[in-house]
Amino acid sequence: QVQLVESGGGLVQPGGSLRLSCATSGSILSLDVMGWYRQAPGKQRELVAAITGGGSTNYADSVKGRFTISRDNTKNTVYLQMNSLKPEDTAVYCCNAFLRSSYASPWSVYWGQGTQVTVSS
């Protein structure tokens, strides 16, 4: 059973920083793209950042220059370093992973439960 577990969320003042982690556990044969999404109250879920197995990255325009996504392929873990946080960054942040758990399984997207990030003074 594949699981993704996020950690690192919390309350931070504007201009502050947080580092989110998403650890993937269970049977994993191959792990490709990993990403972070967020959903604020009353808004649609949006892509924040994504990273391929080879390290290529993609960011939402709203976070470019402030957020950095990275991954540790030895630990099947993806990180999101968030700097210069703004109140509009407040949301539930979820990670996902495109992976294959075994030769008998198709490539599928798995999601974590999410972690709350609140930016407020």
Side-chain angles (χ1 to χ4, degrees):
Q1 184 76 7
V2 175
Q3 288 188 319
L4 277 66
V5 179
E6 301 98 337
S7 60
L11 173 64
V12 63
Q13 292 187 341
S17 298
L18 282 175
R19 188 187 192 218
L20 305 183
S21 299
C22 173
T24 303
S25 63
S27 175
I28 299 173
L29 177 63
S30 299
L31 181 58
D32 194 357
V33 180
M34 302 184 78
W36 287 96
Y37 287 72
R38 67 185 181 187
Q39 186 166 19
K43 295 187 177 181
Q44 289 189 330
R45 184 171 62 190
E46 63 173 350
L47 173 68
V48 176
I51 184 167
T52 68
S56 296
T57 58
N58 182 42
Y59 294 92
D61 288 343
S62 60
V63 306
K64 283 181 181 177
R66 300 188 298 122
F67 291 10
T68 302
I69 189 170
S70 61
R71 63 192 283 170
D72 184 337
N73 290 329
T74 65
K75 299 179 180 179
N76 291 334
T77 298
V78 64
Y79 306 95
L80 186 67
Q81 177 66 44
M82 305 185 294
N83 299 328
S84 302
L85 283 160
K86 305 176 181 180
E88 51 264 42
D89 294 318
T90 295
V92 175
Y93 285 70
C94 293
C95 65
N96 77 351
F98 184 55
L99 63 85
R100 192 179 184 187
S101 59
S102 71
Y103 287 111
S105 301
W107 285 89
S108 301
V109 177
Y110 292 81
W111 290 87
Q113 291 295 315
T115 184
Q116 176 70 45
V117 171
T118 302
V119 185
S120 175
S121 55

